[in-house]
């Protein structure tokens, strides 16, 4: 190689290296995740499609098909929120909770029907504060699970809503599977 081509290659390699390291840094910190968001949206959409298929296949009834037709389609934003909720659930909640099974804490299927979001957000952020306030349901849960304290989570309201959206989808698909088995 000539001296000229080496002088041109070195700055080019430095630029490529800087951009590569910057991309790795931003991806690792979560500041930039465009491909992950697209993949997450695709995964959530696939999961919803499978849930709809199991609804139709499992029940054999026209009422289920009609309820699917009446249900509004999931927007790409909702699909991204559900996928983000899936990741947040696995990273923060799955150690103690499952959707359909009691682990350390209660099963979370149907949570959206048991408690309003306005109650769940403070509970998830700091359950001991809700128990200390004397909230009847919080005290009942605390006592029911051997006074095992749920850790506090530094999640934003939006992140908690994403987890709840994920749980609602999982609850609906889980209930469908259960009802399909019961009917067969």
């Amino acid at each position: 190689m000539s001296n000229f081509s080496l002088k041109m290659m070195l700055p080019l390699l430095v630029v490529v290296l800087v951009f590569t390291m910057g991309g790795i840094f931003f991806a690792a910190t979560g500041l930039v995740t465009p491909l992950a968001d697209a993949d997450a949206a695709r995964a959530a959409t696939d999961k919803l499609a499978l849930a709809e298929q199991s609804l139709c296949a499992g029940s054999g009834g026209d009422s289920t098909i009609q309820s699917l037709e009446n249900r509004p389609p999931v927007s790409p934003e909702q699909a991204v929120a559900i996928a983000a909720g899936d990741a947040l659930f696995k990273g923060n909640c799955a150690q103690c909770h499952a959707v359909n099974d009691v682990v350390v804490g209660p099963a979370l299927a149907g949570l959206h029907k048991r408690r309003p979001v306005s109650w769940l957000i403070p509970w998830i952020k700091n359950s001991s504060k809700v128990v200390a306030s004397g909230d009847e349901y919080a005290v009942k849960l605390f006592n029911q699970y051997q006074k095992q304290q749920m850790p506090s989570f530094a999640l934003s309201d939006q992140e908690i809503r994403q987890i709840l959206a994920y749980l609602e989808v999982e609850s609906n698909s889980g209930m469908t599977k259960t009802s399909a088995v019961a009917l067969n």
Side-chain angles (χ1 to χ4, degrees):
M1 284 188 147
S2 71
N3 192 17
F4 177 75
S5 59
L6 285 177
K7 287 182 182 179
M8 294 302 291
M9 288 294 266
L10 184 60
L12 181 62
L13 288 174
V14 169
V15 168
V16 169
L17 181 64
V18 167
F19 276 103
T20 302
M21 295 303 291
I24 291 170
F25 171 77
F26 285 119
T29 59
L31 295 174
V32 176
T33 58
L35 294 177
D37 286 347
D39 291 341
R42 192 175 309 109
T45 303
D46 292 346
K47 183 177 274 194
L48 290 171
L50 286 173
E52 288 179 3
Q53 287 174 356
S54 69
L55 273 171
C56 292
S59 70
D62 291 334
S63 62
T64 303
I65 294 171
Q66 288 172 350
S67 68
L68 283 175
E69 290 171 353
N70 295 334
R71 190 177 55 149
V74 175
S75 70
E77 293 82 19
Q78 289 170 320
V80 169
I82 292 165
D86 181 14
L88 287 164
F89 179 83
K90 289 174 182 167
N92 294 284
C93 313
Q95 297 84 354
C96 299
H97 296 281
V99 176
N100 295 308
D101 299 314
V102 173
V103 186
V104 174
L108 299 179
L111 182 64
H112 61 285
K113 295 177 182 176
R114 293 194 304 259
R115 302 306 304 159
V117 173
S118 61
W119 187 91
L120 290 167
I121 289 174
W123 171 260
I124 292 168
K125 286 185 174 185
N126 189 346
S127 66
S128 61
K129 186 176 179 181
V130 179
V131 171
S133 76
D135 181 273
E136 187 177 323
Y137 190 80
V139 172
K140 177 185 167 211
L141 272 178
F142 180 68
N143 291 329
Q144 183 178 354
Y145 288 91
Q146 292 74 39
K147 298 186 179 186
Q148 179 70 34
Q149 191 66 47
M150 184 171 118
S152 297
F153 290 97
L155 297 168
S156 69
D157 290 4
Q158 180 183 0
E159 290 171 322
I160 293 171
R161 289 178 199 279
Q162 290 170 337
I163 293 169
L164 297 174
Y166 163 74
L167 288 171
E168 185 171 352
V169 168
E170 286 298 306
S171 296
N172 291 339
S173 66
M175 287 178 194
T176 301
K177 291 174 188 171
T178 304
S179 63
V181 170
L183 289 172
N184 289 337

